[in-house]
Amino acid sequence: MQQSPVKVADNARAAAAREEATLHVLAVGVTEYHDADLRLKYAARDAEDIAERFRQRGGALFKQRVNATALTDARATVANIEATLKAMAAKARPNDTFVLYMAGHGTVLADSGEYHFLPHELVYENDQSISRQAVSQSRLRTWMSWLPVRSLLLLDTCRAGNVVQLASRAGEEKGAFASLIRLSNRAVIVASSSDKMALEGYKDHGVFSWVVLDALDNADYDNNGQVDVTDIATHVRRLVPEITEKTFKYRQVPMQDTPGDPFAVAQPVRRGVKK
């Protein structure tokens, strides 16, 4: 399909803006928790692979101006995540692009209805221990406010495995994610909604993370030689439910919101989407 002159002009302006722009990526993944009952399989590997794929595909788009860091397992403490993010944000300029990816366990506290990401050091005793030790959605919103306008939050949080009664009611989780999406004022794509778990174990990855990795290579839905946030959102929305139903007989439904003009984060392996 031929692009309109307006679209061509918009793409040209975006390309000119990227000439001096940098892509910043902080990928956080926790497989080995201090509390052994919370151990996952692939979250740390997913974070490392996400950072590397952005170096490759983002590097192709941003002329190798990519600053990508992975914090996994023992390095993925609240203090270290926050300090690393703050340092990276301080170096980011207004026209830069930032991706924050987090994989591990997530839950919603019944009393507050707030989503929390569980860092490496968390030891589960009760909801109060999560409130004290985890990263709340309020804190996530604060973190996102430090970042450039062109920022994307990717959350692959999983309660599957030997989790000690961490999940709360489905409606509260959906409400918490919706609140996070509305109030962050940034593009947000999360792995799961309602009472659905975020599954792992697909081609040695979390399902959501595998689809994001595939999107960076292949999700050029408007055939413009770029993968933007709406391309990733479309790929996730199409493939995550399909893969989980076919492979696990379980329908995982992601949530997402990409307000404003879409911005590109990668150059695909080839133009268009493989049919």
Side-chain angles (χ1 to χ4, degrees):
M1 182 183 295
Q2 187 173 8
Q3 296 181 12
S4 70
V6 172
K7 184 68 173 178
V8 171
D10 287 344
N11 289 340
R13 283 192 293 270
R18 278 196 307 275
E19 284 299 322
E20 299 299 330
T22 297
L23 173 65
H24 306 267
V25 180
L26 178 57
V28 177
V30 188
T31 292
E32 298 287 348
Y33 279 88
H34 185 71
D35 185 338
D37 286 333
L38 299 177
R39 189 180 189 279
L40 290 168
K41 290 185 178 180
Y42 302 112
R45 173 179 174 173
D46 284 343
E48 291 169 348
D49 287 353
I50 286 284
E52 180 57 30
R53 191 66 54 87
F54 271 111
R55 289 188 192 101
Q56 296 170 359
R57 305 315 320 157
L61 183 68
F62 286 83
K63 312 300 183 187
Q64 305 308 318
R65 285 186 295 273
V66 179
N67 173 26
T69 298
L71 298 178
T72 61
D73 294 337
R75 298 178 64 211
T77 63
V78 173
N80 199 31
I81 297 168
E82 182 164 286
T84 303
L85 185 67
K86 184 174 289 188
M88 293 177 69
K91 296 178 180 178
R93 296 168 298 178
N95 65 325
D96 286 352
T97 298
F98 206 111
V99 177
L100 174 59
Y101 164 93
M102 303 177 76
H105 280 299
T107 193
V108 176
L109 298 185
D111 59 348
S112 66
E114 277 215 334
Y115 168 82
H116 288 70
F117 175 82
L118 277 55
H120 165 78
E121 71 268 30
L122 186 136
V123 176
Y124 179 74
E125 297 171 350
N126 49 42
D127 281 1
Q128 287 68 41
S129 63
I130 294 176
S131 183
R132 290 193 308 270
Q133 301 174 55
V135 180
S136 69
Q137 71 182 50
S138 298
R139 196 167 195 169
L140 269 175
R141 288 199 302 270
T142 297
W143 288 358
M144 294 299 290
S145 74
W146 299 342
L147 306 181
V149 172
R150 287 191 289 272
S151 294
L152 169 64
L153 173 63
L154 298 166
L155 286 177
D156 192 356
T157 59
C158 179
R159 297 188 311 261
N162 192 22
V163 186
V164 188
Q165 306 268 324
L166 291 182
S168 64
R169 291 191 296 277
E172 290 172 337
E173 179 181 354
K174 185 173 182 178
F177 277 130
S179 177
L180 176 62
I181 285 172
R182 287 195 306 270
L183 297 180
S184 68
N185 199 31
R186 299 292 190 274
V188 180
I189 307 174
V190 301
S192 179
S193 64
S194 188
D195 60 344
K196 306 299 183 184
M197 295 181 292
L199 300 176
E200 60 174 4
Y202 182 74
K203 299 186 177 181
D204 295 331
H205 291 286
V207 175
F208 174 84
S209 293
W210 184 89
V211 173
V212 172
L213 289 165
D214 189 67
L216 296 176
D217 281 346
N218 300 309
D220 180 15
Y221 282 92
D222 49 7
N223 194 31
N224 66 350
Q226 301 173 5
V227 177
D228 64 35
V229 293
T230 56
D231 289 323
I232 297 174
T234 299
H235 212 59
V236 166
R237 187 169 60 249
R238 288 182 59 192
L239 293 189
V240 169
E242 176 183 316
I243 290 171
T244 54
E245 280 192 317
K246 182 177 181 180
T247 306
F248 302 100
K249 310 303 180 186
Y250 183 94
R251 185 174 177 83
Q252 178 181 326
V253 181
M255 289 184 67
Q256 53 205 256
D257 187 47
T258 55
D261 295 329
F263 54 90
V265 296
Q267 179 177 299
V269 173
R270 65 185 67 83
R271 291 177 70 101
V273 178
K274 185 177 179 181
K275 303 298 184 182

